[in-house]
Amino acid sequence: MKRLPDRPQWAHFANARPALEFSGWQLAQAVVKTDFLITKSRFLPSLGFLLQCHHVLYPNMGGNLRLVDGGSRLLNDVSQTSMSARLGQGISVLFAQSIGYDFVSHLATDPDVIAHKRANKIGTVADFLFENSSHERIILEAKASFSLQENNPSKVKQVLKPALEKQVAPWLSAVSPPATKGYATYSCFREASSNTQSALFFVDPPGDESAIGMKLPPSWVLRRNYSAWLAAMGMIDTAQQLIGADITESRSLDLDLVTIRDRAFVVTRFHPEISEMEDIYVGIDLSIFSLIRDTINGSEDALLGFERVESELDDFRMPQNGSLMSDGTFFGSVDEIQEFKSPKKHYT
């Protein structure tokens, strides 16, 4: 609408949805994942989030994620915007996964996308391109705020409408195969004493399936999804190889094996140089790790046929104080490390 009526009511414009349920581990993994998708901001942002968030997020407020009272004022404007944006991006990943979209790439910082944008004079790029196991795609732009402490339809619209019109809509048809749907999301985090719950608002217009845009190969999203997580594991060379870089030199990296829900996972320590992170590991399902190596060596058919792993979002049994996403990636602490039988050293 061009203009909402005076004193608009939520019930006239929006439908309530079931609560988006997640654990602190899941949110942490989602934020780390989005940080590593954005190649120019790897390492420090996710580390800073994990070290700072416990000072800002309220641990338990009746099942609703809240800021501590005064949390919206604890950070200066620049760092506050950065933290709210990363939280909002993490929430958007959990939201997309909850509706079946398990694999994600970051459109806005991809060099090919930026070149296409400039050549075709397309406006601002939306944040994410998601895919499901059937390779259906959605475009998603994530917004977030610490300051909007009430559910005001007009103020929410002021954020969602331009995001939808200027960032999501132009890119629904700018990629080929096109996205079947677009989302603009707005995560609003409220303080513990607020009478209004923290909430995610979204709009979701359909895409144009007949449109022809920038041709992206079938494995484009999958490769970037796993490249980001390999980078989080410290496997920078392998991450770059997966998205087409020509890496001739290799360096060794210690990998370990753990069992989570009767599945084998390759893991490494997250930020091993930071003592506070000594018990946190990042990992990937061993079978998917093998598919990634096959893909790098020129055989991607098996990776394209990969189906989602039963995740923590599906049944809410926490695996060993951590988070297991449906793309087969793991983040958290582990109880017992097993050595690789052959070999432990892996060359990335």
Side-chain angles (χ1 to χ4, degrees), residues 292-299:
I292 289 170
R293 295 302 308 175
D294 291 342
T295 299
I296 291 173
N297 292 328
S299 177

Side-chain angles (χ1 to χ4, degrees), residues 59 62 69 91 113 121 165 173 210 216 225 254 310 315 343 347:
D69 284 334
I91 294 290
V113 173
K121 298 180 180 179
E165 293 180 343
S173 59
S210 64
L216 299 179
N225 180 85
D254 286 334
E310 180 187 1
D315 64 9
Y347 289 89

Side-chain angles (χ1 to χ4, degrees), residues 88-147:
Q89 289 179 336
I91 294 290
S92 72
V93 168
L94 298 175
F95 167 73
Q97 186 171 327
S98 75
I99 58 176
Y101 290 86
D102 307 308
F103 313 106
V104 57
S105 60
H106 194 261
L107 276 178
T109 55
D110 187 88
D112 294 335
V113 173
I114 293 172
H116 180 79
K117 168 185 176 250
R118 290 173 178 169
N120 294 274
K121 298 180 180 179
I122 305 175
T124 308
V125 187
D127 285 326
F128 301 113
L129 176 63
F130 285 89
E131 272 189 359
N132 60 19
S133 296
S134 300
H135 303 291
E136 297 170 325
R137 293 171 168 176
I138 62 170
I139 298 286
L140 188 148
E141 171 65 20
K143 304 293 186 184
S145 173
F146 284 173
S147 60

Side-chain angles (χ1 to χ4, degrees), residues 50-67:
L50 294 175
L51 293 177
Q52 290 177 347
C53 67
H54 69 284
H55 296 299
V56 179
L57 297 180
Y58 196 86
N60 186 6
M61 189 67 187
N64 186 238
L65 178 66
R66 300 292 189 98
L67 303 174

Side-chain angles (χ1 to χ4, degrees), residues 33-331:
K33 185 173 186 178
T34 58
D35 278 346
F36 279 86
L37 281 168
I38 306 170
T39 55
K40 66 181 181 180
S41 65
R42 286 176 174 170
F43 305 113
L44 290 180
S46 54
L47 176 61
F49 167 79
L50 294 175
L51 293 177
Q52 290 177 347
C53 67
H54 69 284
H55 296 299
V56 179
L57 297 180
Y58 196 86
N60 186 6
M61 189 67 187
N64 186 238
L65 178 66
R66 300 292 189 98
L67 303 174
V68 297
D69 284 334
S72 61
R73 300 184 299 274
L74 286 177
L75 306 170
N76 62 41
D77 289 342
V78 174
S79 58
Q80 175 179 315
T81 301
S82 176
M83 177 168 280
S84 63
R86 291 205 298 278
L87 283 170
Q89 289 179 336
I91 294 290
S92 72
V93 168
L94 298 175
F95 167 73
Q97 186 171 327
S98 75
I99 58 176
Y101 290 86
D102 307 308
F103 313 106
V104 57
S105 60
H106 194 261
L107 276 178
T109 55
D110 187 88
D112 294 335
V113 173
I114 293 172
H116 180 79
K117 168 185 176 250
R118 290 173 178 169
N120 294 274
K121 298 180 180 179
I122 305 175
T124 308
V125 187
D127 285 326
F128 301 113
L129 176 63
F130 285 89
E131 272 189 359
N132 60 19
S133 296
S134 300
H135 303 291
E136 297 170 325
R137 293 171 168 176
I138 62 170
I139 298 286
L140 188 148
E141 171 65 20
K143 304 293 186 184
S145 173
F146 284 173
S147 60
L148 186 62
Q149 293 296 309
E150 295 181 354
N151 294 338
N152 184 312
S154 295
K155 291 184 178 180
V156 170
K157 180 196 166 188
Q158 288 172 9
V159 172
L160 289 181
K161 185 173 182 178
L164 192 66
E165 293 180 343
K166 297 179 181 180
Q167 294 176 270
V168 175
W171 285 91
L172 288 173
S173 59
V175 296
S176 178
T180 57
K181 208 171 187 59
Y183 289 85
T185 65
Y186 191 25
S187 301
C188 294
F189 303 92
R190 278 64 190 257
E191 296 187 356
S193 61
S194 174
N195 293 324
T196 305
Q197 290 196 329
S198 299
L200 172 72
F201 308 99
F202 68 89
V203 283
D204 56 337
D208 182 0
E209 297 187 44
S210 64
I212 299 176
M214 175 187 177
K215 184 67 176 177
L216 299 179
S219 63
W220 196 86
V221 174
L222 280 168
R223 285 174 180 267
R224 281 151 181 79
N225 180 85
Y226 288 115
S227 175
W229 203 248
L230 291 171
M233 293 175 65
M235 303 177 66
I236 306 300
D237 295 339
T238 305
Q240 291 299 311
Q241 286 177 322
L242 186 58
I243 56 176
D246 184 14
I247 304 293
T248 56
E249 296 183 0
S250 299
R251 53 193 180 85
S252 63
L253 179 72
D254 286 334
L255 300 179
D256 293 296
L257 202 64
V258 299
T259 301
I260 302 170
R261 292 188 180 177
D262 301 321
R263 298 177 70 102
F265 282 75
V266 179
V267 298
T268 62
R269 278 183 53 199
F270 185 62
H271 285 296
E273 71 281 5
I274 306 297
S275 61
E276 290 89 341
M277 298 290 162
E278 62 183 6
D279 295 326
I280 297 181
Y281 287 79
V282 284
I284 189 168
D285 186 293
L286 179 59
S287 63
I288 300 171
F289 186 72
S290 298
L291 296 181
I292 289 170
R293 295 302 308 175
D294 291 342
T295 299
I296 291 173
N297 292 328
S299 177
E300 66 178 19
D301 290 347
L303 183 64
L304 285 170
F306 168 72
E307 296 184 0
R308 74 197 314 260
V309 174
E310 180 187 1
S311 76
E312 188 181 335
L313 286 173
D314 295 325
D315 64 9
F316 259 74
R317 287 178 293 136
M318 290 187 65
Q320 299 180 318
N321 296 318
S323 169
L324 171 60
M325 284 192 169
S326 52
D327 64 351
T329 57
F330 170 79
F331 182 84

